[in-house]
Every structure is written in structure tokens, then in C-alpha cells.
Amino acid sequence: MARPMLRRENPHPEQMQAFRISCADCYGYCCTALCFFKTDGFPMDKPAETPCRNLEPDFRCRVHDQLSSRGWKGCRAYDCLGAGQAAARLYRKDWREAPGTASEQFTVFLTLCRLRQIGWHLVEALQLLPAKPLWAALEAQLAENQRLAGQPAGALIGLDLSAHQAQVNPLLKQAAALTMQAAGGGKRCADGIGKRFRGELSGMDFSLALLIAANFSGCTFYGINLLGADLREADFSDSDLRGAFFLTQGQLNAAKGNRNTRLPEGLSHPSHWD
Ligand code: SF4
Ligand code: SF4
């Protein structure tokens, strides 16, 4: 018997373009504003609001083509969902030309990152057919998300997103529960480090799960919640992820796969998979 469809066509295709990173139109915010640590896939620790030693004066990365071989896997995985170029558009001068605005620019970037992440998950939830009873509320929160993100830089500094997040989180949770239920499951798996999974996975809840180096090769995903799961080095070679939801490009970039891996709409094969 055919399984029920879990996704509809994306009602907000125009959003997908905005979520695509455009590093050439950005002032290297991720390489400067963020801190990183050896434990997260970097060869060194770096404090926040400090330029990486590999950041060129024109904001290009000196080791862009050798990130993996030089141990910068964390950079390879990072995806700001378009927050970088959105922040740069708000300033006429970059933080090097106008150092007095540097800290402010980084704060705006971080706020936009959070808004983009929330927006990505809202657009995703709006594609889930079992979440239909929630679509109106999700649309309202997406509109609010766009309103907040569209404010001038001055309003984004110090913007408290807790109220928005408090409205969105329960909706995403309900959308996930309805979708996993429709897939016949809801079984929780919080720890799958290094574990071998096989065959068809239905309705499983991997939200926030540790799935580092898990082996999903050849698996088919149906109604699988991957919200915030740690997928570093997880292997999705020859697997079909089209039935997974709340998966981001950053999670995929940190994982392994190949050109046979099938992805949900809006996500693309990381270049290092080839
Ligand atoms: S912040 Fe985003 S757009 Fe800017 S360099 Fe980093 S990934 Fe690229
Ligand atoms: S190694 Fe390159 S991509 Fe990574 S933080 Fe440094 S400049 Fe940015």
C-alpha cells in the first residue's frame, strides 16, 4: 500500500533564494564574529569578534580550497542561511573601513543568523502536510520573522528574540509530532554515535540527537525529525533523505554522502561529497 505523502510543494519558494549564502557579498562575518574551538572541527581556538588568521583583506579565505586537508572542517560545514550578505547590506562600509561599527555589525549578523534559522524551520514546517492544522499559525510567525529581519540595523541590535522563539518553538514541536505520527512512529533516539542504521526508518525522532559518525548508508527516511541533530561525519551515502525534515544545509555539510544521496528540496550536495 502506498504511504501517505508527507510534503506539499513549498508555498514560499521565494524564500529559498534568500537562504542561499553569498560569501562574495559579505564582510567575512562568520570568520570574525564567531568563536570556534578545536573540539568543534577547527585546528585552533579563536575568540569571538576576532578575524581568523586566514581571512584576506578582501574577506576571502586564504585556504578555501584546502579546508578539509588543513583541518578546518568546521568552516566547511558552516552555513549562515544568507545572514552574512543580509547584514552586509545594512552597512555602507565594512567593519575594517569603519572599525567603530565592527561590534555592532557582528551583533546584527548574529541576530540575523538566529532569525534565518527560525525562518528556515518555519518554511519547512509549512511544507509538512500532517501539520496542516498549524499552517495559519506558522504563516503568522513567518510574517513576524520577516518583519523582525527586515528592520534597520539599529533595531536589530539588542533585539530580544525570546518572545518570537517562544511562539515558534511549540509550533515546530507540534508540526514534528504530527508528521512523525503520520509516519507511524514518534520513537525517540537521542544517542546514535557510531551506530549502524539499516533499511527504512519511519517516524523517528532524532531531534537534538548525537549522531556523530552514525552510518545511514542505504537508508530511506520517512517522517524523520532531524531538528538540531549532530550529524558530523554521519554517512548518508546512497540514502534517501527526502522524507527527513528540519534538516539544514549546515548539518549536511558536516556529514558524509555521495552523488546518489537524495535530498529534500532546497538542500544541495556539499561539494566535498564528490
Ligand atoms: S557569514 Fe555567511 S555569507 Fe558571510 S562568509 Fe560566512 S557563510 Fe559566507
Ligand atoms: S579558515 Fe577560512 S573559512 Fe575558516 S574561519 Fe578562517 S578565513 Fe573563514
Side-chain angles (χ1 to χ4, degrees):
M1 198 172 72
R3 297 174 308 186
M5 294 257 296
L6 296 180
R7 274 182 190 271
R8 63 168 172 164
E9 203 171 313
N10 183 357
H12 291 283
E14 77 290 348
Q15 290 285 317
M16 303 320 280
Q17 188 58 33
F19 286 130
R20 238 169 241 136
I21 61 170
S22 178
C23 302
D25 301 313
C26 171
Y27 300 148
Y29 289 121
C30 61
C31 312
T32 313
L34 304 177
C35 59
F36 52 66
F37 303 98
K38 284 183 188 168
T39 46
D40 293 329
F42 298 89
M44 56 179 285
D45 294 348
K46 184 190 85 61
E49 302 203 1
T50 307
C52 170
R53 66 185 183 196
N54 294 322
L55 188 65
E56 300 275 26
D58 65 355
F59 302 112
R60 288 174 195 272
C61 170
R62 192 175 303 136
V63 296
H64 178 72
D65 297 332
Q66 308 150 51
L67 289 173
S68 296
S69 60
R70 287 176 173 248
W72 296 86
K73 284 187 181 175
C75 302
R76 194 183 67 185
Y78 185 73
D79 190 301
C80 71
L81 291 169
Q85 69 262 26
R89 275 198 299 272
L90 294 172
Y91 292 91
R92 273 178 295 180
K93 292 184 176 179
D94 65 65
W95 51 268
R96 278 188 169 130
E97 284 180 296
T101 68
S103 200
E104 178 189 313
Q105 291 196 32
F106 301 148
T107 303
V108 166
F109 163 67
L110 293 174
T111 301
L112 287 174
C113 281
R114 280 188 64 198
L115 284 166
R116 292 282 168 130
Q117 277 168 5
I118 297 169
W120 172 271
H121 290 313
L122 285 169
V123 171
E124 174 100 340
L126 280 161
Q127 294 171 59
L128 300 175
L129 283 164
K132 190 173 182 180
L134 305 170
W135 285 351
L138 289 162
E139 285 287 2
Q141 288 306 319
L142 183 62
E144 173 63 0
N145 186 274
Q146 288 169 322
R147 186 192 71 75
L148 291 169
Q151 295 181 105
L156 290 168
I157 300 162
L159 182 67
D160 183 3
L161 293 179
S162 51
H164 181 43
Q165 194 89 60
Q167 297 284 320
V168 171
N169 285 354
L171 289 173
L172 296 182
K173 213 169 168 181
Q174 287 174 58
L178 289 168
T179 306
M180 290 185 291
Q181 198 180 16
K187 190 179 162 201
R188 175 103 184 107
C189 176
D191 183 2
I193 296 177
K195 191 175 168 186
R196 175 67 167 123
F197 293 86
R198 294 180 194 278
E200 179 171 297
L201 307 174
S202 292
M204 288 179 76
D205 183 3
F206 286 117
S207 57
L208 301 176
L210 294 174
L211 298 171
I212 300 164
N215 188 347
F216 291 102
S217 58
C219 289
T220 301
F221 289 68
Y222 180 68
I224 304 292
N225 182 7
L226 288 174
L227 182 78
D230 189 339
L231 301 179
R232 283 177 288 167
E233 302 297 324
D235 189 355
F236 294 102
S237 298
D238 304 314
S239 65
D240 186 346
L241 279 159
R242 290 175 299 169
F245 59 93
F246 294 155
L247 176 64
T248 65
Q249 190 66 47
Q251 285 171 298
L252 270 187
N253 293 349
K256 294 181 188 170
N258 60 15
R259 60 185 65 189
N260 297 327
T261 307
R262 304 188 77 173
L263 302 176
E265 193 202 323
L267 297 172
S268 52
H269 289 80
S271 55
H272 64 88
W273 281 12
D274 294 327

